[in-house]
Amino acid sequence: MSLRYMILPLLLALLTAGLSLGQPAGSTSIADDNSSIEAVVDQSATLSLNESINESTSLNESLSLNETGNVSSAAVNAIAAPLKADLNYIWSFSGIEAGLITMALEQNGSVILGRAKYEPDDGMAWNADVLGSVEEDKVELTMSAMKDNALTTTRLSGIFADEAIRGNFTQVRDGKIVANGTFNATWINPDISSYTPAKVEAPAAVTAPAPAEVTSTADTADAAVNKTTSKVNEKKYTDVREFKDKIGMGGDLSGIPPGMSGF
């Protein structure tokens, strides 16, 4: 209950008691009584007004304090909240290869899909598939490419800050770590659709050697038997006309094969 509602009845009761008990009849006029009542009412109204002003001041101070606290909390939360990474760009990665790797990343929430290429001035160019994720400012990427006719996987772990990604990488081939170190990436183009893969030469075709002719022992033996049989069956024929002058009586029989002399 407000203070003025407690004081006003109390003063009225005291005045009424004083008039009825302590004052002789006719000693105080009605006008004087009214003046006293009005003075009491005015004093009560003044006290009530002061009380209202004090209450209002306290309320305003409380509201102001709350608003200041809310603003301060919001500012602190905004400063403390990490920057959410937006990686939808074409990036240039350095530190992994001797030259620059170009990588096009497409971000959908926390999931990242992309493509990468390497086009050195000398050496074999290659293309790669990229899969990764992002959580607040932490970036994880895995790049898979065919290098030197072997699948090579490069794992990258970095932090996104100041429009760049910086971190460490590990490169694995045939189950062995072949390279590791630090990398740095900066975005070069927001138009991901302009990315084109590298032109990779197809590996030269390898001609398989002709199968060696295998000759079995049985085939070799059969061939030897046939050759021997051919020599045995071969018949030598002699043209007798070559020896017509030597055949006959008194002829020189030297050089005539046996059986042809007629004797």
Side-chain angles (χ1 to χ4, degrees):
M1 182 180 293
S2 179
L3 182 62
R4 62 192 182 91
Y5 294 109
M6 297 175 62
I7 295 176
L8 183 59
L10 181 60
L11 293 176
L12 292 176
L14 292 174
L15 290 175
T16 303
L19 291 176
S20 59
L21 297 177
Q23 287 184 340
S27 61
T28 303
S29 64
I30 296 176
D32 293 336
D33 294 340
N34 290 337
S35 297
S36 299
I37 294 174
E38 288 177 359
V40 171
V41 171
D42 291 340
Q43 184 178 4
S44 176
T46 301
L47 292 174
S48 176
L49 179 60
N50 291 336
E51 180 184 358
S52 299
I53 292 173
N54 292 334
E55 291 178 355
S56 177
T57 301
S58 300
L59 179 61
N60 290 336
E61 290 177 353
S62 299
L63 291 175
S64 177
L65 181 61
N66 291 335
E67 290 177 357
T68 303
N70 293 335
V71 172
S72 300
S73 299
V76 170
N77 293 334
I79 295 174
L83 179 63
K84 186 177 181 180
D86 181 9
L87 307 181
N88 288 287
Y89 294 99
I90 297 178
W91 299 79
S92 178
F93 282 74
S94 61
I96 302 174
E97 298 287 349
L100 298 176
I101 297 176
T102 302
M103 189 180 298
L105 299 180
E106 297 184 37
Q107 178 182 344
N108 184 7
S110 61
V111 178
I112 299 175
L113 297 175
R115 297 169 291 168
K117 64 180 178 179
Y118 182 57
E119 298 175 299
D121 296 334
D122 54 348
M124 296 294 293
W126 48 261
N127 292 304
D129 294 324
V130 179
L131 178 64
S133 63
V134 56
E135 183 177 354
E136 296 177 350
D137 60 345
K138 298 179 181 179
V139 182
E140 301 287 340
L141 299 173
T142 300
M143 180 176 62
S144 302
M146 289 297 296
K147 297 173 54 180
D148 301 328
N149 296 326
L151 179 62
T152 302
T153 302
T154 306
R155 296 184 177 90
L156 304 94
S157 179
I159 300 295
F160 173 77
D162 299 328
E163 302 297 325
I165 307 173
R166 299 177 180 85
N168 303 314
F169 77 92
T170 302
Q171 200 168 82
V172 179
R173 183 187 305 157
D174 295 331
K176 299 178 181 179
I177 297 177
V178 296
N180 55 31
T182 60
F183 73 89
N184 182 47
T186 56
W187 68 270
I188 56 177
N189 193 343
D191 184 11
I192 303 175
S193 62
S194 64
Y195 175 88
T196 56
K199 295 181 179 180
V200 179
E201 297 180 3
V206 178
T207 304
E213 185 177 353
V214 179
T215 304
S216 65
T217 306
D219 293 340
T220 304
D222 291 343
V225 171
N226 292 335
K227 186 176 181 180
T228 303
T229 304
S230 176
K231 288 184 178 181
V232 171
N233 294 333
E234 182 180 356
K235 295 181 179 180
K236 295 183 179 180
Y237 297 94
T238 303
D239 189 355
V240 297
R241 291 174 295 178
E242 297 179 1
F243 305 99
K244 64 181 180 177
D245 295 335
K246 296 182 179 182
I247 300 174
M249 297 299 294
D252 184 8
L253 299 179
S254 62
I256 299 175
M260 294 184 63
S261 61
F263 300 97

